[in-house]
Amino acid sequence: MKVFKLMFKNALRHKLRTFLTILGISIAVVAFGFLRTVVTAWYAGVEMSAANRLVTRNSISFIFPLPYAYRDRIARIPGVETVSYANWFGGVYIDKSQFFPRMAVDAETIFEVYPEFIVPPDQLEAFKKERNACVMGADLAQQYGFKIGDVIPIEGDIYPGKWEFVVRAIYQPRDKTVDGTQFYFHWEYVDERMKQEMPGREGDVGWYIIKINDPNQSATISEQVDNLFKNSRAETKTETERAFQEGFIQGTSLIITLLNFISFVIIGIILLVLGNTMIMSARERTKEYAVLKTIGFSGKHLLGLIAGESLVISALGGALGLLLTYPLVGVFSIAVPKSWFPVFYVEPTTLVMAGLSALVVGIVASLFPVQRALRTSIVDGLRFVG
Amino acid sequence: MKIPMKYIVRSLFTRRLTTAITVLGVALVVFVFTSVLMMSDGIRQTLRGTGSSENVLVARKAANGEISSIITSDVYGVISSLPQIARGVDGRSIISGDVVVVINLEKIGTNGGISNVTVRGVSAAAFQLRPQVRIKEGRMFNWGAREIIVGSSIARRFNGAQLGSTIKFAGDVWTIVGLYETGGDGFNSEMWGDVSQLQDAFRRGGSYSTVTFRMANPDQLELVKKAFADDNRLQQFEAKSERVFFEEQSEFMSIFISVLGIFITVFFSVGAIIGAMITMYAAVANRTVEIGTLRALGFKRRSVLTAFLIESFLLSLAGAAAGMFLASFLQFVQVSTMNFGSFSELEFTFALTAWTIFFGVIFAIIMGFAGGFLPSIRAARLNIVNALRST
């Protein structure tokens, strides 16, 4: 018990130093938590994907279309529940810096395959009825102050010309892991205009979203779909929604690697700050440790004393850091346009990881001073001049 | 009277471990800071070097990149009749309509992971417009054949993109007949083929993605822009210096990386400042008697303050030097990432610019000052008698 008391007293002996150390650790923990949150946000599309959804796209790459006629052929495959489809529309709203995804979708089925987007039934009806209606996520509506009935002008690039869409519905994301910045309108509306203005481009579908009955069948059904269109002019590649989303971030793996690397550096910095403090403290107390040994305290006690103090400091720093992470992430998600990181929240695993690393660092940081204290003989210790 | 530099340096060496740890801390921060800026500059430099300011690139105004731009054959006709277009020795206009698409290829070493690669269909003038494109191995593709040549960074990074292999897309088999090298610009991360072959394979009719031409005189850009503004048929299109166009493609990525990097390093630096502060406070506390002695010998408070500040600067500058030394090795590293501007893979090299070095040093000096200031004040304010009496 006495050792515990001494441990806390020791931690408070250099109040300023202890305070600075705690501050340093907490700031590093905040940075760690923030970085992990960015990585989480990067993977949000992958995490959002459902096991019972497949995506079929052109096997050359995402930018090439598939014929509309594929739809019925896919729908006939046993185990397929609903086939929906979408096109990347692109375009510019106001100017190029105002980015949010804009897609032409099948109004009838899109919310059947994406039940995580919750649309009030009357709004959904209104959206389905009007040819140039659009539906958007609540986060997007909030960012631009869009209301139902607003007309949104878009300048097309892939689909050249001026386009206008009337907001008829606003969906709520089911929970905070769901993207609330999508912008959907009728595929048919776009297709009809293409038929008139750019003949030859009608009937283009960007990708099919297939809802299946049994997630265990996904591999078989994917193969069946791709076999249907083998050796045609538009061969397909079908994969689970998860794999499809992973393909998207595959290209940016460099950034993920960078972020992961930096979060390790952060742990290194925490270690340096705390290690430095512990080494200095233990060095100053060399004489005291010798006295303790003389009175009869064993090596175990010294170990407990030093490691305990280190743990107390790192636990306090870690806890403070975790508390500060929330407001910081909150500020960041307000400061940055919602469409950059549609899903931005602190994952529970992030907290656990940050907490664990603070504790591990607490132990590691005390190794060196403990070893030094145990090695120093009583006589040398008593003779030590700081 | 000044305190001798020797005293300052040697007091750093007295507690080697603490000094080393503090220097290491600063070095890590400077390393991360430098490498992030180097990455952002690397992307920017690669793309800036891609275009030439003598060339004009025309794309649809609303297009975010080459792949989403469409220029129909009649618009191409209007553009090709502009009087500002230079003529080659054969008397033909130096103008190329490009078809730009991306295809998926499997990245080497990612276990089946795919990424986007730009395929550019060009006409003969493209090799006059971009003379940096030189065949390194194999031969040039034949016009009218389903053959392509591949940039060396693509051949290095993707399965099946090597000389002699075939790639299947658009229902056809394309043979890779040559490898080209551009000296490290964005075109090095592309594949080139005959534009009419690609138009045909992708059912593009006669339309292009972008049109690039050489100006007869490099200062005619304003004239060209005016011609675009005045002509009704060109209202939806925008003419830009090719260099500016490609540089803008790097904007999102390099801004994204710098913003994230600066956000992170600011946090890091607070950690390093605190580390330096702890070290310097401890230095002051341990040397109370010494400081008292110095003061008793006649050194002024200001001298003591300066001595401790210099000590702190030395710590941070040593850290900066170590951090940048490590980061400078990144210049030999070639990496590639998906560039959001072109939606495809881009290889680049970390670039260490004079500005980055300058900012890194300034950053380290700020860290040294912020970490050393308060402890130095404490040292300077010590009372001689009390300091000498303390144990």
Side-chain angles (χ1 to χ4, degrees), chain B residues 209-254:
Chain B
S209 303
T210 55
V211 174
T212 308
F213 60 83
R214 166 79 41 89
M215 287 177 285
N217 191 338
D219 48 14
Q220 287 175 329
L221 185 64
E222 287 314 310
L223 276 177
V224 172
K225 283 190 169 167
K226 194 174 175 307
F228 270 73
D230 292 346
D231 195 323
N232 253 337
R233 297 165 297 181
L234 298 177
Q235 287 305 304
Q236 284 185 25
F237 304 90
E238 196 170 16
K240 267 185 195 158
S241 145
E242 192 191 25
R243 172 176 293 249
V244 172
F245 182 88
F246 283 111
E247 194 177 350
E248 281 175 359
Q249 299 244 294
S250 71
E251 229 166 51
F252 184 82
M253 218 42 191
S254 69

Side-chain angles (χ1 to χ4, degrees), chain A residues 113 348 376:
Chain A
V113 293
T376 313

Side-chain angles (χ1 to χ4, degrees), chain B residues 97-371:
Chain B
D98 291 0
V99 165
V100 183
V101 295
V102 298
I103 64 165
N104 289 150
L105 285 180
E106 196 186 307
K107 229 175 152 176
I108 293 174
T110 57
N111 200 12
I114 51 162
S115 193
N116 291 336
V117 176
T118 298
V119 178
R120 183 183 297 273
V122 295
S123 41
F127 294 89
Q128 275 174 280
L129 287 166
R130 293 143 187 165
Q132 72 271 35
V133 177
R134 289 216 174 88
I135 303 283
K136 194 180 72 173
E137 256 180 82
R139 59 170 173 88
M140 170 66 187
F141 61 81
N142 282 328
W143 301 97
R146 305 250 152 149
E147 293 178 342
I148 43 177
I149 54 173
V150 171
S152 58
S153 48
I154 296 299
R156 238 192 333 266
R157 290 183 188 276
F158 287 89
N159 268 332
Q162 289 71 38
L163 189 62
S165 3
T166 52
I167 297 184
K168 209 180 154 206
F169 60 83
D172 271 307
V173 176
W174 302 71
T175 313
I176 298 174
V177 296
L179 294 187
Y180 66 85
E181 178 73 66
T182 63
D185 63 11
F187 293 130
N188 212 19
S189 300
E190 295 187 346
M191 298 180 155
W192 283 21
D194 179 352
V195 65
S196 52
Q197 292 299 308
L198 284 154
Q199 280 174 329
D200 174 57
F202 289 120
R203 307 248 154 126
R204 285 289 168 98
S207 61
Y208 301 99
S209 303
T210 55
V211 174
T212 308
F213 60 83
R214 166 79 41 89
M215 287 177 285
N217 191 338
D219 48 14
Q220 287 175 329
L221 185 64
E222 287 314 310
L223 276 177
V224 172
K225 283 190 169 167
K226 194 174 175 307
F228 270 73
D230 292 346
D231 195 323
N232 253 337
R233 297 165 297 181
L234 298 177
Q235 287 305 304
Q236 284 185 25
F237 304 90
E238 196 170 16
K240 267 185 195 158
S241 145
E242 192 191 25
R243 172 176 293 249
V244 172
F245 182 88
F246 283 111
E247 194 177 350
E248 281 175 359
Q249 299 244 294
S250 71
E251 229 166 51
F252 184 82
M253 218 42 191
S254 69
I255 289 177
F256 182 81
I257 294 173
S258 342
V259 167
L260 200 66
I262 286 166
F263 203 82
I264 292 164
T265 37
V266 164
F267 264 90
F268 272 31
S269 64
V270 177
I273 289 170
I274 288 173
M277 230 185 222
I278 294 171
T279 306
M280 290 312 293
Y281 268 125
V284 175
N286 282 333
R287 300 214 302 260
T288 310
V289 179
E290 250 176 77
I291 295 165
T293 313
L294 285 173
R295 297 270 283 107
L297 286 174
F299 288 102
K300 291 266 177 324
R301 280 183 201 279
R302 193 184 297 154
S303 309
V304 174
L305 180 86
T306 323
F308 275 88
L309 267 183
I310 291 178
E311 197 174 321
S312 171
F313 281 139
L314 285 180
L315 278 176
S316 64
L317 285 176
M324 274 193 231
F325 178 72
L326 284 179
S328 65
F329 285 101
L330 286 175
Q331 287 183 96
F332 304 111
V333 180
Q334 275 181 334
V335 287
S336 79
T337 180
M338 160 105 94
N339 180 32
F340 292 127
S342 60
F343 207 59
S344 64
E345 202 80 5
L346 175 76
E347 185 186 73
F348 64 94
T349 313
F350 284 83
L352 186 59
T353 62
W355 278 111
T356 305
I357 299 179
F358 175 74
F359 282 132
V361 172
I362 295 284
F363 191 49
I365 288 177
I366 292 173
M367 281 194 281
F369 185 77

Side-chain angles (χ1 to χ4, degrees), chain B residues 29-94:
Chain B
V29 176
V30 172
F31 175 76
V32 171
F33 178 79
T34 314
S35 53
V36 166
L37 286 188
M38 282 170 78
M39 186 164 166
S40 156
D41 284 336
I43 296 181
R44 195 175 297 146
Q45 279 189 6
T46 302
L47 283 167
R48 180 187 293 156
T50 302
S52 150
S53 48
E54 290 171 30
N55 295 346
V56 172
L57 192 146
V58 183
R60 191 169 280 273
K61 255 184 201 162
N64 290 301
E66 286 186 279
I67 53 169
S68 57
S69 168
I70 298 165
I71 296 179
T72 48
S73 52
D74 47 324
V75 176
Y76 176 82
V78 176
I79 297 171
S80 62
S81 64
L82 286 173
Q84 289 86 9
I85 299 178
R87 282 174 192 285
V89 277
D90 55 357
R92 290 214 207 143
S93 315
I94 306 178

Side-chain angles (χ1 to χ4, degrees), chain A residues 21-240:
Chain A
T21 311
I22 291 178
L23 195 67
I25 296 175
S26 60
I27 284 169
V29 168
V30 168
F32 181 82
F34 173 75
L35 267 177
R36 302 306 313 175
T37 304
V38 171
V39 174
T40 312
W42 211 266
Y43 278 98
V46 176
E47 293 306 321
M48 231 173 77
S49 54
N52 65 344
R53 284 197 291 254
L54 305 178
V55 176
T56 301
R57 60 171 176 86
N58 191 306
S59 67
I60 303 171
S61 80
F62 179 70
I63 70 162
F64 292 99
L66 293 171
Y68 175 70
Y70 284 11
R71 182 192 149 184
D72 292 340
R73 295 181 63 188
I74 295 172
R76 279 200 292 271
I77 295 172
V80 171
E81 201 178 292
T82 318
V83 181
S84 191
Y85 48 94
N87 269 6
W88 180 260
F89 183 85
V92 173
Y93 172 68
I94 305 178
D95 64 61
K96 284 179 189 170
S97 64
Q98 307 297 325
F99 173 78
F100 52 88
R102 294 174 270 263
M103 282 175 236
V105 300
D106 178 32
E108 285 304 318
T109 53
I110 192 76
F111 292 104
E112 274 175 48
V113 293
Y114 288 119
E116 61 265 49
F117 299 152
I118 298 162
V119 194
D122 52 323
Q123 291 186 13
L124 183 60
E125 275 316 303
F127 165 65
K128 282 182 183 175
K129 261 188 247 158
E130 200 169 322
R131 279 161 33 80
N132 64 340
C134 68
V135 49
M136 64 173 72
D139 289 332
L140 186 66
Q142 200 193 354
Q143 186 186 333
Y144 287 97
F146 291 140
K147 296 178 303 294
I148 295 210
D150 284 357
V151 176
I152 297 167
I154 308 275
E155 168 93 36
D157 54 343
I158 310 173
Y159 300 92
K162 295 209 183 309
W163 300 79
E164 282 186 342
F165 302 104
V166 189
V167 185
R168 282 297 170 225
I170 290 173
Y171 75 81
Q172 292 292 336
R174 190 178 51 205
D175 53 54
K176 62 186 172 185
T177 66
V178 175
D179 185 350
T181 65
Q182 299 284 327
F183 184 83
Y184 292 153
F185 39 82
H186 290 238
W187 179 88
E188 276 179 14
Y189 173 57
V190 176
D191 194 54
E192 269 167 36
R193 232 177 99 171
M194 280 293 107
K195 204 180 280 177
Q196 289 161 11
E197 292 171 14
M198 300 189 93
R201 295 230 4 229
E202 73 269 16
D204 281 355
V205 165
W207 64 96
Y208 287 97
I209 306 134
I210 305 170
K211 193 176 171 193
I212 55 176
N213 291 327
D214 177 8
N216 295 324
Q217 292 288 308
S218 54
T220 332
I221 296 180
S222 302
E223 216 182 307
Q224 280 177 306
V225 174
D226 290 346
N227 281 339
L228 267 184
F229 309 112
K230 211 162 211 142
N231 295 322
S232 70
R233 273 207 78 95
E235 291 192 358
T236 60
K237 177 167 179 175
T238 306
E239 53 200 344
T240 57

